[in-house]
Amino acid sequence: MTTVDERQDGAPVVSLGMPLVGGSHVRAHAGTEGLEATEQERSERLAAVRAGQVGSVHSWELVTAVDGPGTRMTVFLSGCPLRCLYCHNPDTMEMRRGTDVSAQEILSRVARYRGVFKATGGGLTISGGEPLMQPAFVRSLLRGAKAMDIHTTVDTSGYLGAQCTDEMLDDIDLVLLDVKSGIPETYKKATGRELAPTLDFGRRLAAHGTEIWIRFVLVPGLTDAVENVEAVADYVATLSTVTRVEVLPFHQMGQDKWAELGMRYELADTQPPTPELVARVREQFRSRGLATF
């Protein structure tokens, strides 16, 4: 069971009861430069965190055509319940490694780019780590962005989908749903967690009418088995609001971070998928009539 330890300084530390061997697969970033950190007394900070006024932020960046449509301000939150073997940002796994930043500080930054968002069809993307580790903070960011009529996207594994309330769903325009495997045993091997919560959240999104882009990380020897990809594709084909599937080839760009953090990296000998393998997997999705990239 996931618990939060509030005895240490900094953001709450999530105890996961498993070895620290992985995390999410998001990219490396420049950090929180440009965002003013929030410093509060311990009791005040805890109250602000619970109210969604303050969150633990890993980094942010302005990107185009990567984390949703148009030019987007992507905010990466710290903390993740998964331990993905292929994570290339393992420093996002613990909330204590992030910087306390207020929701208002982020929304003020978002407001600066309203003209860019309007011109490009972009907006705010909340990523991680796993953003739903901090649901109150995510709720505040979503509500603030929608109050400015800005397109919103949440990039999530779906594992903590139960933390996303119906009210939050009403404020989300797009979900980037990272379906890491279609076979439960493979999902457990890759992440240390169970597959079912992700599948349940995807179905809930479709029932709500929320647009979904699927992300699938292709790791040779781990997620590339024909039957595993078939299981993912079969599931995705049942979700009526999926408009895009992205097959993301595994790479080794984050390997050095594991060593820097003193963490065991189990995929050091894994090579990126060949173009032929990537083409095969994309065709498995396209055969279901899914727009795949």
Side-chain angles (χ1 to χ4, degrees):
M1 172 184 254
T2 300
T3 59
V4 176
D5 183 355
E6 296 181 342
R7 294 172 297 176
Q8 301 185 37
D9 292 334
V13 177
V14 177
S15 174
L16 295 159
M18 62 173 68
L20 198 61
V21 297
S24 71
H25 67 275
V26 296
R27 303 152 302 171
H29 300 277
T32 56
E33 183 178 353
L35 296 177
E36 183 178 347
T38 296
E39 297 184 6
Q40 297 174 303
E41 294 294 332
R42 178 176 174 76
S43 61
E44 293 177 350
R45 192 195 70 81
L46 289 176
V49 167
R50 294 189 183 102
Q53 297 168 353
V54 170
S56 180
V57 177
H58 171 264
S59 55
W60 73 279
E61 67 176 8
L62 205 64
V63 292
T64 299
V66 175
D67 298 315
T71 298
R72 312 196 67 80
M73 177 176 170
T74 302
V75 179
F76 298 85
L77 305 188
S78 294
C80 183
L82 304 185
R83 293 295 177 260
C84 299
L85 298 179
Y86 50 78
C87 174
H88 75 249
N89 265 344
D91 51 331
T92 65
M93 287 191 298
E94 294 186 69
M95 281 192 280
R96 65 175 178 168
R97 290 197 176 111
T99 299
D100 278 359
V101 179
S102 72
Q104 187 55 52
E105 173 68 12
I106 291 175
L107 291 170
S108 295
R109 174 71 57 166
V110 169
R112 298 185 190 181
Y113 300 117
R114 278 183 290 187
V116 175
F117 298 153
K118 183 177 181 180
T120 65
L124 171 68
T125 296
I126 308 171
S127 186
E130 170 51 61
L132 294 178
M133 285 279 282
Q134 302 184 59
F137 190 57
V138 172
R139 182 185 66 234
S140 295
L141 296 179
L142 292 171
R143 187 83 291 275
K146 295 313 295 180
M148 291 185 280
D149 196 27
I150 289 173
H151 183 278
T152 58
T153 296
V154 173
D155 180 6
T156 175
S157 71
Y159 181 76
L160 295 178
Q163 302 271 31
C164 186
T165 66
D166 290 341
E167 179 184 29
M168 289 167 66
L169 285 182
D170 289 340
D171 285 336
I172 299 174
D173 294 305
L174 171 67
V175 170
L176 308 181
L177 184 62
D178 190 356
V179 182
K180 301 171 186 293
S181 170
I183 297 175
E185 293 77 14
T186 302
Y187 193 93
K188 181 78 170 180
K189 180 180 179 181
T191 72
R193 292 294 187 173
E194 305 300 323
L195 171 61
T198 292
L199 303 184
D200 291 344
F201 188 55
R203 297 185 188 103
R204 185 174 162 218
L205 291 171
H208 189 268
T210 304
E211 184 181 6
I212 304 170
W213 289 7
I214 296 293
R215 287 179 160 177
F216 174 72
V217 182
L218 176 58
V219 186
L222 183 63
T223 67
D224 63 333
V226 171
E227 59 272 22
N228 185 55
V229 178
E230 289 287 292
V232 177
D234 285 342
Y235 164 72
V236 172
T238 69
L239 304 178
S240 60
T241 58
V242 171
T243 59
R244 179 184 180 103
V245 176
E246 297 178 347
V247 175
L248 307 176
F250 167 80
H251 58 71
Q252 292 282 8
M253 288 188 288
Q255 183 176 356
D256 290 347
K257 284 191 176 184
W258 291 74
E260 291 170 2
L261 294 169
M263 296 164 61
R264 185 175 74 255
Y265 184 64
E266 298 184 4
L267 300 182
D269 296 327
T270 300
Q271 298 299 309
T274 63
E276 293 77 15
L277 177 56
V278 174
R280 188 213 84 197
V281 170
R282 285 176 175 156
E283 181 55 34
Q284 287 182 263
F285 286 100
R286 287 171 181 154
S287 69
R288 272 75 172 178
L290 298 163
T292 305
F293 302 88

